[in-house]
Structure formats: structure tokens, C-alpha cells
Amino acid sequence: MLHSWDLSTGVDGPGTRFVAFLAGCPLRCLYCHNPDTRYLRDGRRASAEDLVQEAAKYTDFIRAAGGGATVSGGEPLLQPVLTGELLHRFKHELGLHTALDTSGYLGARATDALLADTDLVLLDVKSWDRALYRRVTGRALAPTLEFARRLADLGSEVWVRFVLVPGLTDPAANVEGVAAFAASLGNVTRVDVLPFHRLGARKWRALGLDFPLADTAPPSPEQIAEARAIFAAHGLNAV
């Protein structure tokens, strides 16, 4: 079940990328900017062949822009067979750099073959504090940490993503915990500190849902710089 696809630059991995957004996600993040991808029924039926043919139209442009193909969501590992076939065919048929954008919560569903076809994992680590992680996502943190350690054991390249939400995920101790864990893995080549925004609020309204962070302001440049400095102090490339 495919929600949509797009061409993006700079937000879904290096360079310009063909991004397949699969439908369905087990998390219920308070700051989710795509609540319209929560359920499998939010998508439409599509095959790997459909998406490979679509991506093939742009491969020359993508290669020239130093990009590749990313499987995102929703949560792509909710549909591991489709995700694995896409990554394999993007890599071996189209010759593209591949990326998997995941929370890691369903990391156990990723086979070694799937990960072998993945050049880069974009791993969302939403909190270090366990209680806060459950508050933010409605789920437990442990599966994400287990998946991160597995990726480290495999030597897979990882970019960690951390959404900075004032009054929620921004306590220094919480940021410090994520930073120390990421630094301990040895395979994290970049950390994206993503400023919280309210651009998805209209989607919540359109679905008849109350956006729980409607009154939360985005972080200031100073707050963003402070969070990045914590990651940098652990020797990580924070952007």
C-alpha cells in the first residue's frame, strides 16, 4: 500500500532522491506531520514494478544530482516484503544509492538481505527517556535501540534523526542520552537535529483530529544550536 511518491532534495538522504512513502505506521507521534499515513487503508495498491518503472524515468537526473532512492512512510517496515523488493531493485536494477527511513520500532522485520540492499538507514530516535518516548510515540523505545545495535554490528551507515520539540524532547539530559548512545555505535555518520514545526496541523484538522502540539512553538535558533552542540561534543556530525 503506497501513500505517495515524490522527488526531494536534502531531507530524505543525500542528494536528490526518488522517495516512496508507504502507508501505515505503528507509532502515534504527537508531532507527526503526516497523520494521513497512519493506516494501510490510507494508501493505494501499488507494486514494486510500478515504483521501479516510475523511478527509472528520473535515474539520469538523480545520479547527476548525487542522489538515490529512499523508502519511507509511514513506517516502511510495516510492509517489509515490498520494502525489501524496492530496495533491492532500486539498487541492483537502477544502480541507485538506497536509503531506508524508519523509526526502528519494527526493525526485527528487516531481514539481513533487506539491510544488505540498504546503503543508508535514516533512524529516528525520538527520545532517550523511556517514559518520554512512550508519551511521544505511544510505543516502547527498546526495539529501536535493539535495531540500532544490530545496524552497528552489521556496519551499516546510519544517520540519526532527532526532532527537537520545546518543552517535550529538548531537556539537556534527554538530548545528551541520545547523543551518547549514537556516539557509542560507531556507525553514525550524521545527526539531523530537526526543528519541530506545525506544518502538519492542517492535516490533523482535515482528519477531524486535534493536533496535540498546536500551542507549541518551534525551537529558536539558539535552542537548535544548543542541541547540535551536545551531539557535536560527542564527536558527531550534527546538522
Side-chain angles (χ1 to χ4, degrees), residues 12-98:
D12 297 289
T16 298
R17 308 188 72 82
F18 180 90
V19 186
F21 296 96
L22 305 191
C25 183
L27 273 56
R28 294 294 178 263
C29 297
L30 298 179
Y31 50 69
C32 180
H33 63 277
N34 287 317
D36 52 332
T37 65
R38 282 184 173 184
Y39 303 104
L40 290 172
R41 65 174 181 264
D42 292 328
R44 59 178 174 83
R45 290 192 177 276
S47 68
E49 178 65 22
D50 295 333
L51 287 163
V52 170
Q53 287 186 8
E54 196 64 49
K57 300 175 184 178
Y58 307 98
T59 51
D60 290 344
F61 170 68
I62 289 171
R63 289 194 195 99
T70 299
V71 185
S72 184
E75 170 51 65
L77 293 178
L78 192 65
Q79 301 184 67
V81 175
L82 174 60
T83 296
E85 185 176 355
L86 285 171
L87 290 166
H88 183 81
R89 296 184 65 177
F90 286 151
K91 183 178 182 70
H92 296 286
E93 290 185 21
L94 301 184
L96 296 176
H97 176 277
T98 56

Side-chain angles (χ1 to χ4, degrees), residues 170-239:
D170 64 336
N174 190 49
V175 181
E176 174 74 25
V178 176
F181 176 72
S184 75
L185 297 173
N187 62 330
V188 176
T189 59
R190 168 169 159 162
V191 176
D192 288 319
V193 177
L194 304 175
F196 162 75
H197 59 72
R198 294 177 293 205
L199 298 179
R202 59 180 178 79
K203 293 185 179 180
W204 287 73
R205 290 193 298 270
L207 294 169
L209 302 172
D210 292 327
F211 183 45
L213 301 182
D215 297 326
T216 300
S220 68
E222 292 77 16
Q223 289 172 311
I224 298 169
E226 289 171 5
R228 286 176 177 156
I230 292 174
F231 285 102
H234 285 269
L236 296 163
N237 174 31
V239 299

Side-chain angles (χ1 to χ4, degrees), residues 138-151:
R139 298 289 186 173
L141 172 61
T144 293
L145 302 186
E146 292 168 7
F147 184 56
R149 295 187 184 102
R150 179 182 168 202
L151 293 172

Side-chain angles (χ1 to χ4, degrees), residues 95-187:
L96 296 176
H97 176 277
T98 56
L100 172 68
D101 183 3
T102 177
S103 71
Y105 180 73
L106 298 178
R109 296 189 178 189
T111 64
D112 287 346
L114 182 154
L115 295 176
D117 288 327
T118 304
D119 295 313
L120 172 67
V121 177
L122 308 174
L123 183 63
D124 296 317
V125 183
K126 301 169 189 295
S127 171
W128 179 251
D129 180 277
R130 272 62 169 175
L132 179 57
Y133 190 95
R134 186 171 289 279
R135 178 184 168 197
V136 170
T137 69
R139 298 289 186 173
L141 172 61
T144 293
L145 302 186
E146 292 168 7
F147 184 56
R149 295 187 184 102
R150 179 182 168 202
L151 293 172
D153 290 341
L154 291 170
S156 303
E157 183 180 6
V158 170
W159 288 7
V160 165
R161 297 177 136 189
F162 175 74
V163 179
L164 186 68
V165 186
L168 189 64
T169 66
D170 64 336
N174 190 49
V175 181
E176 174 74 25
V178 176
F181 176 72
S184 75
L185 297 173
N187 62 330

